[in-house]
Amino acid sequence: MSLYLTRLSSLTFRGGVQSKLIYHQCWIPVTTICCQSKFCSTGTKQKPDYYITTPIFYVNALPHIGHLYTVLFADVLSRWHQLKGDNVLFSTGTDEHGLKIQQAANKTDEHPTEFCNLVSQTFRDLFKEANVNHTDFIRTTEKRHITAVQHFWMVLESKGYIYKGVYEGWYSVSDEAFLSDSDVKDGMIDGKTCKISVESEQPVIWMEEENYMFRLSEFKDKIHDWLDTGVIHSKNFEQNVRTMLTNLTDLSISRQSDRLTWGIPVPNDPTQTIYVWLDALVNYLTVTGYPNVSSRWPPDCQIIGKDILRFHAVYWPAFLMAAGLELPKKLLCHSHWTVDDTKMSKSIGNVVNPMDKMNQFSVDGLRYFLLRVGVPHLDGNYSDIKAVECINSELVNVLGNLLNRCTSLTINLQQVWTGCYVDDIEKFLSPADQNKFHSLKHLADVVDRFYTEFSVYKALQKLISQLHWTNAFVEHHKPWQLVKSEQSLGHLNVVLHVTMVTLRNCGILLQPVIPNIANKLLNRLNVSDDCRTFEHAKELSLDKKTRQLGKDNSILLKRIKM
Ligand code: MSP
């Protein structure tokens, strides 16, 4: 075995307090780590449970509703897998290096470190408030990440994929992306004509400098092969990636340090700083403990917005293949939220602040709306009116109302979960109602299929339609009349039982999307914590015994007023 040793350079940040810090200094036998670790594509690997990632968020601006959507999507899938008993690693975080952040920090009085601390904290606070259950929150300025990025660089270098060259072309600071001639057009910014990016309409600059290049063009065919496996979801984004591959050239992966000071230095060459996208993408490895051995690699699902498809579906697999690592199993690409059919932007002043909206609609109200209305492959248009209508008509009128109907003191006099036997069901329900009730057994599997194919909105549609049916069922049987006569109490029991079982099973399946409301609902029905897993949602025969309801009889969700 080769004992080729590479020294990880002392990493210093230029400027400010950070310049005195030496982050990492050690000798790592590159080939040894590569070939013996579980990261190696040829090594044996323990089966990971479930590893899901979100992109890491730029800290140049405060979080908006679109950012929250990305994270909620991951949160729901993560919670779904937990419900099914998987051991989930769910990572998110902030992307803190690069020209874009350097420039944003320069516009403030803060040192970039302070600036990043502040904005990163706003993302962390938002996710906490929104009840996002991430298991890791990574910042690219952390030592563990800098170590991982520099190691990753050395692996690419040791395998011959990096060479020195001259990059000449357009660069978009706002997208941190190199653009070809066809990616730019003439535009107007602040009344001045200039070149702008066709896609993001942001200004671009001309760049000409010596830096390190990555042999991206060598991976064209292999990326096509990877796409053939159906890794991109939804399928309609796959063709975009194939088009990106048509004129694939090598990629500049560093900038001169005098231009880009805020970043990770190239190992053994402090005159160059690592390209922010190479830096950022490695975060997905860092959270698994890279360069140490981890059974968590590769990710089962990586969620990304459509604007960062190129980085994740072209650069990222090429980097990983070059490093001899396994590729992600799924890239889940979603479209964007617009406001009045226009892209959110500070200059237009239409940025929707998710904290405000959670105050207005409640945390679960906002979570429900974004996931119920957000169709991943289509742009979603945000509006307050739409949000209020959706939350009131489904969570308040359908779910809340149904719970109220089976637990209110006027109908459920004893305040109990009403047990019920098959005989009673046959006695009081029509064959059609019986069939519908028994079909509840399959609801969990149908919903599972939707969650598994990332169609959270379809899972919610299905659940809400089951609840709709149950409301109509209650309407038909009129428990408020049954309660008035001693002779019809058996019938009443059946109606309450069917309603409660439906609510329990739907409540279990709704937990990933509206954890607070689902918890309150299940508490009211007195469903014990260990009876709330996916498997429990398949049961109709549980809870035959009558038992007391939970004490908290407060309203599930107040009607939202505009
Ligand atoms: N820092 C990069 C990602 C690096 S990942 C290795 C970045 N950051 S971002 O803050 O600009 O975007 C983060 C995510 O938010 C992306 O997936 C992006 O698509 C998503 N969204 C940004 N605006 C959005 C909407 N308006 N709607 C939905 N998602 C949006 O890109």
Side-chain angles (χ1 to χ4, degrees), residues 54-60 64-70 94-96 100 123 174-175 276-277 279-284 303-308 311-312 334-338 343-344 379:
T54 75
I56 47 173
F57 299 88
Y58 283 131
V59 290
N60 63 307
H64 60 55
I65 204 103
H67 298 135
L68 181 62
Y69 174 70
T70 299
T94 44
D95 189 352
E96 306 186 7
K100 176 172 166 134
F123 277 93
S174 107
D175 306 320
V276 63
W277 268 101
D279 169 343
L281 287 163
V282 172
N283 93 83
Y284 304 129
I303 298 192
I304 55 168
K306 63 181 181 180
D307 56 321
I308 54 174
F311 307 99
H312 285 82
H334 65 75
S335 294
H336 279 183
W337 282 91
T338 55
K343 198 175 166 175
M344 269 180 275
D379 279 348

Side-chain angles (χ1 to χ4, degrees), residues 169 294 309 312 315 320 372 375 436 448 478 497 543 562:
S294 170
L309 193 55
H312 285 82
Y315 301 173
L320 289 172
R372 170 78 168 96
V375 177
K436 188 74 188 176
D448 186 33
K478 299 188 176 35
H497 184 77
D543 290 348
M562 269 298 277

Side-chain angles (χ1 to χ4, degrees), residues 21-194:
L21 294 178
I22 295 179
Y23 278 111
H24 192 77
Q25 202 168 23
C26 68
W27 291 88
I28 295 189
V30 172
T31 47
T32 307
I33 285 181
C34 255
C35 294
Q36 287 186 340
S37 90
K38 297 234 174 91
F39 288 101
C40 183
S41 53
T42 53
T44 46
K45 191 167 75 63
Q46 278 169 275
K47 199 177 173 296
D49 278 331
Y50 195 74
Y51 174 27
I52 183 163
T53 68
T54 75
I56 47 173
F57 299 88
Y58 283 131
V59 290
N60 63 307
L62 296 173
H64 60 55
I65 204 103
H67 298 135
L68 181 62
Y69 174 70
T70 299
V71 164
L72 288 181
F73 204 161
D75 188 50
V76 169
L77 298 177
S78 155
R79 285 173 183 269
W80 179 247
H81 278 271
Q82 272 166 349
L83 205 60
K84 295 186 73 186
D86 289 348
N87 177 22
V88 176
L89 176 62
F90 165 19
S91 75
T92 188
T94 44
D95 189 352
E96 306 186 7
H97 287 137
L99 263 183
K100 176 172 166 134
I101 310 303
Q102 186 179 303
Q103 289 177 359
N106 287 346
K107 286 186 192 152
T108 70
D109 295 336
E110 311 287 349
H111 181 272
T113 307
E114 259 320 298
F115 177 77
C116 290
N117 288 346
L118 288 170
V119 186
S120 177
Q121 190 60 41
T122 63
F123 277 93
R124 213 189 261 272
D125 292 345
L126 171 68
F127 299 162
K128 187 165 180 222
E129 189 64 31
N131 219 346
V132 173
N133 255 350
H134 51 78
T135 56
D136 203 334
F137 185 98
I138 180 161
R139 301 181 55 188
T140 53
T141 44
E142 283 175 62
K143 184 181 168 201
R144 60 172 172 157
H145 178 66
I146 291 159
T147 304
V149 172
Q150 291 203 315
H151 184 81
F152 190 77
W153 177 284
M154 289 190 302
V155 173
L156 298 186
E157 194 175 44
S158 71
K159 291 179 177 251
Y161 288 107
I162 295 180
Y163 62 94
K164 210 133 196 209
V166 174
Y167 177 76
E168 232 185 83
W170 299 105
Y171 190 76
S172 160
V173 176
S174 107
D175 306 320
E176 294 283 17
F178 301 95
L179 302 176
S180 67
D181 286 343
S182 58
D183 296 327
V184 301
K185 62 178 182 183
D186 291 322
M188 182 84 83
I189 300 282
D190 296 334
K192 287 185 201 137
T193 53
C194 61

Side-chain angles (χ1 to χ4, degrees), residues 177-452:
F178 301 95
L179 302 176
S180 67
D181 286 343
S182 58
D183 296 327
V184 301
K185 62 178 182 183
D186 291 322
M188 182 84 83
I189 300 282
D190 296 334
K192 287 185 201 137
T193 53
C194 61
K195 291 280 180 201
I196 60 171
S197 154
V198 173
E199 204 183 312
S200 67
E201 308 227 309
Q202 295 297 314
V204 297
I205 51 175
W206 182 257
M207 237 184 77
E208 210 177 310
E209 66 179 45
E210 191 183 50
N211 45 39
Y212 289 98
M213 305 291 291
F214 171 71
R215 297 186 193 283
L216 180 63
S217 54
E218 286 189 16
F219 292 91
K220 185 172 167 168
D221 292 344
K222 285 185 182 153
I223 298 172
H224 275 297
D225 293 346
W226 179 59
L227 295 175
D228 289 344
T229 65
V231 65
I232 310 277
H233 186 94
S234 27
K235 188 95 178 133
N236 56 320
F237 290 112
E238 187 182 307
Q239 191 46 46
N240 303 4
V241 183
R242 293 198 192 271
T243 309
M244 291 170 196
L245 290 172
T246 40
N247 294 314
L248 199 62
T249 55
D250 287 350
L251 177 71
S252 163
I253 49 167
S254 71
R255 299 294 313 271
Q256 280 176 207
S257 311
D258 50 358
R259 300 205 189 172
L260 175 61
T261 55
W262 187 241
I264 302 177
V266 166
N268 306 317
D269 184 356
T271 68
Q272 295 275 326
T273 303
I274 296 176
Y275 173 42
V276 63
W277 268 101
L278 175 54
D279 169 343
L281 287 163
V282 172
N283 93 83
Y284 304 129
L285 283 162
T286 309
V287 296
T288 66
Y290 183 86
N292 292 324
V293 172
S294 170
S295 60
R296 285 295 196 164
W297 195 259
D300 294 277
C301 177
Q302 300 210 267
I303 298 192
I304 55 168
K306 63 181 181 180
D307 56 321
I308 54 174
L309 193 55
R310 173 190 300 274
F311 307 99
H312 285 82
V314 178
Y315 301 173
W316 181 221
F319 290 152
L320 289 172
M321 283 190 263
L325 302 176
E326 279 187 68
L327 304 185
K329 294 180 191 162
K330 218 27 125 193
L331 275 189
L332 173 51
C333 184
H334 65 75
S335 294
H336 279 183
W337 282 91
T338 55
V339 176
D340 300 327
D341 292 315
T342 314
K343 198 175 166 175
M344 269 180 275
S345 99
K346 254 196 288 184
S347 51
I348 301 176
N350 64 349
V351 175
V352 181
N353 178 340
M355 281 287 197
D356 292 348
K357 294 304 152 196
M358 282 192 288
N359 287 334
Q360 207 175 336
F361 306 141
S362 78
V363 170
D364 279 17
L366 184 64
R367 286 177 66 108
Y368 185 80
F369 168 67
L370 290 176
L371 292 154
R372 170 78 168 96
V373 173
V375 177
H377 57 278
L378 301 172
D379 279 348
N381 194 37
Y382 178 86
S383 96
D384 280 351
I385 296 179
K386 216 155 74 173
V388 171
E389 272 172 13
C390 168
I391 296 165
N392 282 344
S393 69
E394 300 191 347
L395 289 185
V396 178
N397 293 355
V398 176
L399 185 66
N401 191 27
L402 198 56
L403 180 66
N404 194 37
R405 282 178 145 182
C406 62
T407 58
S408 77
L409 265 170
T410 50
I411 293 175
N412 191 329
L413 305 174
Q414 312 292 327
Q415 289 293 284
V416 287
W417 167 281
T418 47
C420 167
Y421 290 91
V422 178
D423 290 357
D424 291 334
I425 295 209
E426 285 171 1
K427 186 168 165 195
F428 294 109
L429 300 192
S430 69
D433 279 355
Q434 285 180 46
N435 278 342
K436 188 74 188 176
F437 177 57
H438 288 299
S439 75
L440 194 59
K441 267 197 294 228
H442 309 296
L443 183 68
D445 286 329
V446 175
V447 169
D448 186 33
R449 192 159 40 80
F450 290 138
Y451 276 116
T452 306

